[in-house]
Amino acid sequence: METKKKEEIKKDLKKFSEGKEYCAKIGKAWKRGYLLYGPPGTGKSTMIAAMANFLNYDVYDLELTTVQDNTELRTLLIETSSKSIIVIENI
Protein backbone atom coordinates (compact mmCIF):
# COMPACT_ATOMS: atom_id res chain seq x y z
CA MET A 1 0.00 0.00 0.00
CA GLU A 2 1.31 3.44 -0.82
CA THR A 3 2.54 5.37 2.20
CA LYS A 4 0.24 8.34 1.55
CA LYS A 5 -2.88 6.13 1.48
CA LYS A 6 -1.75 4.25 4.58
CA GLU A 7 -1.29 7.50 6.54
CA GLU A 8 -4.66 8.77 5.31
CA ILE A 9 -6.41 5.64 6.63
CA LYS A 10 -4.54 5.76 9.95
CA LYS A 11 -5.52 9.43 10.37
CA ASP A 12 -9.17 8.58 9.65
CA LEU A 13 -9.13 5.68 12.13
CA LYS A 14 -7.56 7.85 14.83
CA LYS A 15 -10.13 10.61 14.25
CA PHE A 16 -12.93 8.05 14.44
CA SER A 17 -11.61 6.45 17.63
CA GLU A 18 -11.47 9.84 19.34
CA GLY A 19 -14.95 10.92 18.18
CA LYS A 20 -17.27 8.86 20.39
CA GLU A 21 -18.19 11.73 22.72
CA TYR A 22 -18.71 14.12 19.81
CA CYS A 23 -21.07 11.68 18.06
CA ALA A 24 -23.05 11.20 21.28
CA LYS A 25 -23.25 14.98 21.72
CA ILE A 26 -24.75 15.54 18.27
CA GLY A 27 -26.90 12.39 18.36
CA LYS A 28 -25.07 10.58 15.59
CA ALA A 29 -24.26 6.85 15.69
CA TRP A 30 -20.59 6.17 16.44
CA LYS A 31 -19.63 3.83 13.64
CA ARG A 32 -17.34 3.76 10.64
CA GLY A 33 -17.48 1.60 7.55
CA TYR A 34 -14.98 0.63 4.89
CA LEU A 35 -15.58 -1.32 1.71
CA LEU A 36 -12.57 -3.44 0.82
CA TYR A 37 -12.68 -5.19 -2.52
CA GLY A 38 -10.41 -7.12 -4.84
CA PRO A 39 -9.48 -10.63 -5.80
CA PRO A 40 -8.15 -13.11 -3.23
CA GLY A 41 -4.61 -12.43 -2.09
CA THR A 42 -4.67 -8.64 -2.44
CA GLY A 43 -4.39 -7.89 1.30
CA LYS A 44 -7.96 -7.28 2.45
CA SER A 45 -7.68 -9.58 5.48
CA THR A 46 -4.23 -8.19 6.28
CA MET A 47 -5.69 -4.67 6.15
CA ILE A 48 -8.47 -5.64 8.56
CA ALA A 49 -5.94 -7.20 10.96
CA ALA A 50 -3.76 -4.08 10.77
CA MET A 51 -6.75 -1.82 11.47
CA ALA A 52 -7.79 -3.93 14.45
CA ASN A 53 -4.24 -3.94 15.77
CA PHE A 54 -3.91 -0.16 15.32
CA LEU A 55 -7.16 0.49 17.22
CA ASN A 56 -6.79 -2.45 19.65
CA TYR A 57 -10.23 -3.70 18.56
CA ASP A 58 -11.66 -7.22 18.33
CA VAL A 59 -12.52 -8.69 14.92
CA TYR A 60 -15.78 -10.56 14.28
CA ASP A 61 -16.40 -12.41 11.01
CA LEU A 62 -20.12 -12.41 10.25
CA GLU A 63 -21.30 -15.06 7.81
CA LEU A 64 -24.66 -13.75 6.59
CA THR A 65 -25.67 -17.03 4.93
CA THR A 66 -26.01 -18.59 8.40
CA VAL A 67 -28.26 -15.83 9.78
CA GLN A 68 -31.93 -16.80 9.65
CA ASP A 69 -33.63 -13.43 10.24
CA ASN A 70 -33.23 -9.86 11.49
CA THR A 71 -33.75 -10.90 15.12
CA GLU A 72 -30.83 -13.31 14.93
CA LEU A 73 -28.68 -10.68 13.20
CA ARG A 74 -29.52 -8.12 15.89
CA THR A 75 -28.64 -10.65 18.62
CA LEU A 76 -25.29 -11.39 17.00
CA LEU A 77 -24.45 -7.70 16.70
CA ILE A 78 -25.43 -6.99 20.31
CA GLU A 79 -23.05 -9.73 21.45
CA THR A 80 -20.05 -8.00 19.88
CA SER A 81 -17.84 -5.73 21.96
CA SER A 82 -18.23 -1.98 21.55
CA LYS A 83 -14.71 -1.78 20.19
CA SER A 84 -14.89 -4.21 17.34
CA ILE A 85 -14.52 -4.56 13.62
CA ILE A 86 -17.29 -6.59 12.04
CA VAL A 87 -16.29 -8.25 8.78
CA ILE A 88 -19.00 -9.24 6.31
CA GLU A 89 -17.54 -11.00 3.29
CA ASN A 90 -18.91 -11.59 -0.19
CA ILE A 91 -21.75 -9.10 -0.11
Side-chain angles (χ1 to χ4, degrees):
M1 175 180 289
E2 18 174 301
T3 305
K4 183 179 178 183
K5 189 58 151 176
K6 181 179 176 180
E7 291 305 316
E8 192 177 297
I9 292 169
K10 285 173 67 175
K11 183 179 175 183
D12 183 62
L13 289 170
K14 185 164 176 54
K15 182 178 176 182
F16 164 74
S17 69
E18 295 170 349
K20 186 174 184 177
E21 289 179 17
Y22 174 73
C23 287
K25 181 179 175 183
I26 64 169
K28 183 179 176 186
W30 184 60
K31 60 184 176 179
R32 185 74 176 110
Y34 288 93
L35 174 62
L36 305 177
Y37 61 93
T42 56
K44 297 177 297 293
S45 295
T46 302
M47 178 67 172
I48 293 165
M51 292 166 71
N53 187 51
F54 180 73
L55 295 170
N56 196 27
Y57 278 21
D58 297 320
V59 177
Y60 294 89
D61 188 11
L62 179 57
E63 181 62 51
L64 286 180
T65 59
T66 63
V67 178
Q68 300 297 318
D69 55 32
N70 285 342
T71 303
E72 185 177 359
L73 177 59
R74 188 179 322 267
T75 301
L76 288 170
L77 293 174
I78 288 171
E79 291 175 359
T80 63
S81 66
S82 63
K83 292 187 174 187
S84 62
I85 293 175
I86 301 170
V87 179
I88 305 171
E89 295 191 54
N90 301 322
I91 295 179

